[in-house]
């Protein structure tokens, strides 16, 4: 894990480059918690927009209980090597615990998008 202060310094340094100043920037997956969000703000980093994309899987497959019958789909499936079911559950629990705090910080610039609809509407 990288300490929050180091993250904030690295991001502040990168966002001060000319290309970010002229063209803008996107942070994906950061901040992960309230402390990181406050550190960004204390570093003078204020996003104009924060986008939350709600994604609900249409089909979920399981190697034992729900394997797809279509061979093309079977070929595309990849089992994550680094995440067990317990680790995924833990990450999901952390998300639901930490993100409301972050949303509160960015509530004035937060845009919430439901991706569970036709792509034209998204």
């Amino acid at each position: 894990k990288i300490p929050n202060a180091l993250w904030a310094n690295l991001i502040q340094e990168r966002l001060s480059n000319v290309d970010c100043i002229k063209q803008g920037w996107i942070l994906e997956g950061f901040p992960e918690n309230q402390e990181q969000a406050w550190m960004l703000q204390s570093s003078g980093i204020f996003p104009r927009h924060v986008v939350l994309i709600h994604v609900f899987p249409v089909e979920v497959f399981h190697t034992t209980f729900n394997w797809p019958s279509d061979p093309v789909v079977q070929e595309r499936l990849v089992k994550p090597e680094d995440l067990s079911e317990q680790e995924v559950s833990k990450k999901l629990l952390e998300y639901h615990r930490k993100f409301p705090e972050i949303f509160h910080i960015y509530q004035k610039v937060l845009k919430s998008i439901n991706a569970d609809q036709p792509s034209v509407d998204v």
Side-chain angles (χ1 to χ4, degrees):
K1 282 211 159 201
I2 298 174
N4 290 335
L6 179 56
W7 266 122
N9 289 339
L10 290 170
I11 291 171
Q12 182 182 21
E13 182 180 317
R14 178 62 182 100
L15 297 184
S16 66
N17 289 346
V18 174
D19 62 330
C20 292
I21 294 169
K22 286 185 175 182
Q23 298 175 12
W25 46 269
I26 295 175
L27 296 178
E28 189 262 325
F30 192 90
E32 292 182 334
N33 56 51
Q34 187 178 34
E35 181 183 356
Q36 290 175 347
W38 288 122
M39 291 183 104
L40 287 177
Q41 288 188 351
S42 67
S43 298
I45 300 169
F46 299 95
R48 281 188 279 175
H49 304 284
V50 173
V51 179
L52 170 64
I53 301 175
H54 296 278
V55 180
F56 304 99
V58 177
E59 291 187 78
V60 177
F61 298 106
H62 190 280
T63 56
T64 304
F65 303 111
N66 186 24
W67 192 246
S69 58
D70 185 345
V72 175
V73 175
Q74 290 176 7
E75 288 178 25
R76 290 194 326 242
L77 294 178
V78 177
K79 182 179 178 185
E81 299 287 329
D82 58 340
L83 291 178
S84 68
E85 187 174 336
Q86 287 176 323
E87 290 171 319
V88 170
S89 296
K90 182 181 174 186
K91 286 184 176 285
L92 189 58
L93 184 62
E94 283 180 38
Y95 168 84
H96 285 290
R97 190 178 76 241
K98 292 180 181 178
F99 272 68
E101 299 170 344
I102 297 172
F103 297 154
H104 180 72
I105 293 170
Y106 295 117
Q107 66 187 358
K108 292 183 180 177
V109 294
L110 181 66
K111 309 286 188 229
S112 184
I113 299 171
N114 177 7
D116 190 24
Q117 56 185 337
S119 59
V120 185
D121 297 329
V122 173

